């Protein structure tokens, strides 16, 4: 079974896949558990991704692929990398293993700077295949793969491969640059990691900043106690009405006893939390263990 590693066409911006991205983060927590996610606490090193112009092409490709395998905790997976003319950046044959065959676009013979990014997407496909984690639709499954690569520490390479100026027009992966930034920021908020110094592409860094801003805003949405005054006023108005305004991240419902409660996604893992509507309360997410100060 072959999976593609690049979407053709103009570079898309913004957050068009955000619902799927959030669902992918939640799916990772559910499949790997909080403890499992924490084992990916070290992002893939820029030194391991580096590929010198004088390094043997095939030996270097296998060296980088093996390093990504180790970073994604696939100790018994062997990657065989070859190059050929193709439309996609790369593909991988998903089999029972332990040997997997990755085909990479011929252009990476000379554009070696981004070879690690193409390999990161394909090796993540192998990881998800081993975990038996997938979404029903192919397009959503590719979003899952990019999200997993970024959230587990290797996908920053895919964002850094984004360059867009008068001479260059390139993006790898299926997420928009801003969505990659959002996922990387969500990872950083969990692990205390800041990838800002690692980006070599100015456009990638700018997209990371935009994605990080959205991730940080989600930490200040009602009914979280850190919500700003305007957000609190909107929440209070909706609470009195007993229904959330369109686009609100929360909704009101009744528990089996008929008492009001509010449900909203955990800003760390996305699992939906349900709390009684009764004022200040501390809530602990059962999936990611985050303790949240709320004012319901």
């Amino acid at each position: 079974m072959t999976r593609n590693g690049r979407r053709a066409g103009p570079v898309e911006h913004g957050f068009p896949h955000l619902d799927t991205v959030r669902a992918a983060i939640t799916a990772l927590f559910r499949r790997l558990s909080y403890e499992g996610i924490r084992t990916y606490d070290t992002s893939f090193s820029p030194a391991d991704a580096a590929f010198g112009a004088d390094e043997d092409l095939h030996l270097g490709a296998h060296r980088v692929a093996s390093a990504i395998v180790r970073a994604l905790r696939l100790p018994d997976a062997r990657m065989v990398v070859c190059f050929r003319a193709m439309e996609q950046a790369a593909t991988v044959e998903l089999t029972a293993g332990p040997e997997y065959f990755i085909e990479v676009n011929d252009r990476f013979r000379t554009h070696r700077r981004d070879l690690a990014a193409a390999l990161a997407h394909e090796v993540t496909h192998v990881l998800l295949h081993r975990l038996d984690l997938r979404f029903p639709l192919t397009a959503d499954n590719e979003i899952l793969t990019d999200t997993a690569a970024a959230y587990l520490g290797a996908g920053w390479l895919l964002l850094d491969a984004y360059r867009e100026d008068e001479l260059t027009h390139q993006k790898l992966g299926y997420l928009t640059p801003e969505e990659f930034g959002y996922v990387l920021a969500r990872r950083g908020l969990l692990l205390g990691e800041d990838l800002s110094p690692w980006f070599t592409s100015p456009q990638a860094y700018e997209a990371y900043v935009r994605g990080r801003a959205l991730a940080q805003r989600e930490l200040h949405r009602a009914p979280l106690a850190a919500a700003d005054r305007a957000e609190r006023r909107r929440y209070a108005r909706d609470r009195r009405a007993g229904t959330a305004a369109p686009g609100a991240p929360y909704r009101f419902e009744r528990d089996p006893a008929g008492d009001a409660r509010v449900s909203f996604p955990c800003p760390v893992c996305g699992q939906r939390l349900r709390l009684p509507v009764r004022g200040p309360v501390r809530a602990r997410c059962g999936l990611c263990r985050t303790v949240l100060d709320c004012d319901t």
Side-chain angles (χ1 to χ4, degrees):
M1 180 167 51
T2 302
R3 290 287 183 256
N4 299 335
R6 179 176 184 266
R7 189 206 301 272
V11 174
E12 189 175 21
H13 288 279
F15 302 93
H17 314 107
L18 199 54
D19 288 344
T20 307
V21 168
R22 289 169 174 158
I25 293 174
T26 305
L28 285 171
F29 269 95
R30 288 176 176 163
R31 184 64 183 85
L32 291 171
S33 78
Y34 169 79
E35 292 84 358
I37 292 288
R38 296 288 306 193
T39 65
Y40 294 88
D41 59 353
T42 302
S43 285
F44 189 70
S45 166
D48 287 333
F51 201 134
D54 57 346
E55 186 172 5
D56 180 270
L57 176 66
H58 291 89
L59 292 178
H62 285 91
R63 173 186 60 78
V64 173
S66 297
I68 296 172
V69 164
R70 292 191 297 272
L72 291 180
R73 310 294 188 266
L74 283 165
D76 61 340
R78 297 191 298 273
M79 302 293 153
V80 178
V81 183
C82 63
F83 296 80
R84 70 173 177 88
M86 57 195 299
E87 180 181 353
Q88 305 95 335
T91 65
V92 62
E93 293 293 331
L94 297 179
T95 63
E99 198 165 65
Y100 296 88
F101 295 88
I102 298 178
E103 293 182 313
V104 181
N105 193 300
D106 262 341
R107 66 189 176 90
F108 290 107
R109 290 179 179 271
T110 53
H111 293 83
R112 300 182 179 188
R113 170 182 174 182
D114 300 317
L115 177 60
L119 293 173
H121 180 95
E122 304 309 323
V123 176
T124 304
H125 267 305
V126 174
L127 172 66
L128 296 177
H129 178 66
R130 291 278 191 95
L131 292 173
D132 194 27
L133 178 57
R134 65 179 63 86
F135 285 167
L137 299 179
T138 299
D140 290 347
N141 208 44
E142 294 292 358
I143 298 300
L144 169 63
T145 303
D146 277 346
T147 302
Y151 204 79
L152 300 180
W156 72 271
L157 296 164
L158 287 153
L159 176 55
D160 199 41
Y162 162 56
R163 288 180 288 280
E164 192 172 17
D165 53 37
E166 294 83 359
L167 302 177
T168 307
H169 184 88
Q170 173 181 280
K171 184 185 80 70
L172 299 183
Y174 293 76
L175 297 182
T176 68
E178 291 79 8
E179 288 168 341
F180 270 120
Y182 171 81
V183 178
L184 292 171
R186 288 275 296 261
R187 169 184 166 82
L189 290 169
L190 175 70
L191 300 174
E193 179 182 69
D194 181 11
L195 295 179
S196 299
W198 288 13
F199 291 108
T200 63
S201 163
Q203 294 82 20
Y205 172 75
E206 292 165 3
Y208 172 68
V209 170
R210 291 191 292 271
R212 183 175 61 187
L214 175 58
Q216 290 174 336
R217 285 199 300 273
E218 291 183 348
L219 297 175
H220 300 275
R221 299 192 308 187
L224 298 175
D228 62 29
R229 183 174 299 178
E231 182 80 8
R232 296 297 314 165
R233 284 199 299 266
R234 283 192 294 269
Y235 177 80
R237 183 174 60 249
D238 291 347
R239 182 178 57 194
R240 288 192 299 270
T243 183
Y250 49 81
R251 61 173 179 257
F252 296 99
E253 54 194 45
R254 295 285 175 178
D255 65 19
D259 296 323
R261 63 183 182 181
V262 61
S263 69
F264 60 98
C266 171
V268 174
C269 70
Q271 174 164 271
R272 205 146 192 97
L273 306 177
R274 290 172 171 82
L275 302 178
V277 176
R278 66 183 184 196
V281 63
R282 300 194 83 191
R284 183 176 185 270
C285 177
L287 185 57
C288 69
R289 303 182 182 179
T290 302
V291 176
L292 301 168
D293 288 314
C294 304
D295 187 353
T296 62

